[in-house]
Amino acid sequence: MRFDLSLNESGGEDFEFMLRARLRHGLSVVKWPYAIATENFDGRRATFRYQFKRRYLDQLTRYRIAELHRRGGIRGTRAGNLVKLLRLTNKFTVFGAIDIVRGGGLLIAGREAGRQFIGVGLLKWARALAIFPYLLGKSAVHYGGTVDADRSKMS
């Protein structure tokens, strides 16, 4: 098995690879608690703007992966993918709205946790918004071009 190079740097190549391994060969991902990953942290990934864009692009890539798997005969049909697309979009829209309303109620009651619910709801809406560029035939652009994963803007 090889990584699908059409997803290179879009943020979905590892997800697609493991999904294909599970669907074709029954393999599953194993969590390894001793794996060490190091990365310079400049704080930008902690911003809401970054997280919103990341959720949006992640969902767009997942829609693209479903289409690649359908075309490759791995899983899915055109009608099945359309139903899944609409169901996911509806789920993210409805549950995002519920989280936002719940968060608003908590904020009115003076609870600080309300801001977290509002943020989670907005991130769900980011995933729902991904349906529009997908239906227009757009695919996720490279990570480095959208969220500066290669740190090119750092001085």
Side-chain angles (χ1 to χ4, degrees), residues 8-10 53 57 140-153:
N8 192 27
E9 296 182 23
S10 70
K53 187 180 274 189
L57 293 174
V141 294
H142 295 304
Y143 249 19
T146 60
V147 292
D148 196 29
D150 64 352
R151 307 289 192 259
S152 61
K153 292 182 184 167

Side-chain angles (χ1 to χ4, degrees), residues 48 52 55 59 88-89 91-100 117-130:
F48 182 77
F52 190 89
R55 296 299 183 284
Q59 192 62 39
L88 281 172
T89 302
K91 173 184 148 186
F92 292 133
T93 302
V94 170
F95 285 106
I98 290 170
D99 284 342
I100 290 170
F117 280 101
I118 291 171
V120 167
L122 290 173
L123 292 178
K124 287 177 184 174
W125 278 358
R127 293 182 86 97
L129 287 173

Side-chain angles (χ1 to χ4, degrees), residues 66-67 70 75-86 134:
E67 183 64 22
R70 181 192 68 79
R75 177 176 72 169
T77 63
R78 186 177 297 272
N81 281 356
L82 179 61
V83 169
K84 187 186 300 183
L85 179 94
L86 294 173
Y134 176 75

